Amino acid sequence: MKLTSTILALGLLVGAANAGEFISYKALTKTLKAENKKAGNFATADDVKKAVASKDWAVVDVRTKEEWTAAHIKGSYRVGRQAPEKQFSSVVLDDDDNFIKKNIIVI
C-alpha cells in the first residue's frame, strides 16, 4: 500500500513539474500559423480562391486519385505520386521550360 501511494505521489510530482511547459492547442496553432505565414508556407482558403482565379498561380493537388475523385478544388491540377516531377512540370512550364505559372500552392 505504501509503495502504491509513493508511486502515485511521485507521478503527481513529475506531472506537476512538467505542467508548466504545457502549451494550449489554441496557442500552439496560432504560433505555428504565424511562423508558416512569415515563411510563406501557409495559405488561407481566400488565398487559394484568389490563386485559382489568377493566371500567375498554379494550385496543385498531390492527393491520390481516389481522394481527388471524392473532392477537389475546381481549377486545381492533380499531380499524381508516380513521377510527380513530370506531371508538375507540365503544369508550370511551357515547351521551352519557361515558367508559365510563377507561383504555386501545393495541397
Side-chain angles (χ1 to χ4, degrees):
M1 186 71 171
K2 286 188 177 191
L3 180 61
T4 304
S5 297
T6 303
I7 292 173
L8 181 60
L10 183 61
L12 289 172
L13 287 172
V14 170
N18 290 327
E21 297 175 19
F22 179 76
I23 300 172
S24 72
Y25 176 77
K26 189 174 182 179
L28 177 63
T29 56
K30 185 177 180 179
T31 301
L32 291 174
K33 282 182 183 179
E35 288 174 3
N36 283 299
K37 279 183 180 182
K38 186 176 180 180
N41 297 327
F42 182 83
T44 64
D46 287 335
D47 293 337
V48 174
K49 286 179 187 177
K50 289 175 187 173
V52 169
S54 173
K55 293 181 181 179
D56 292 336
W57 284 85
V59 178
V60 180
D61 194 323
V62 294
R63 294 177 298 157
T64 64
K65 193 174 197 176
E66 292 78 17
E67 292 169 329
W68 170 266
T69 302
H72 64 275
I73 298 170
K74 187 176 181 180
S76 63
Y77 302 93
R78 182 180 172 276
V79 173
R81 294 182 181 170
Q82 293 181 349
E85 64 281 347
K86 288 181 183 177
Q87 294 175 0
F88 187 75
S89 65
S90 71
V91 171
V92 298
L93 299 175
D94 65 11
D95 292 337
D96 297 324
D97 290 337
N98 296 315
F99 282 100
I100 53 174
K101 304 283 185 175
K102 297 187 186 299
N103 304 299
I104 302 160
I105 293 177
V106 179
I107 298 174

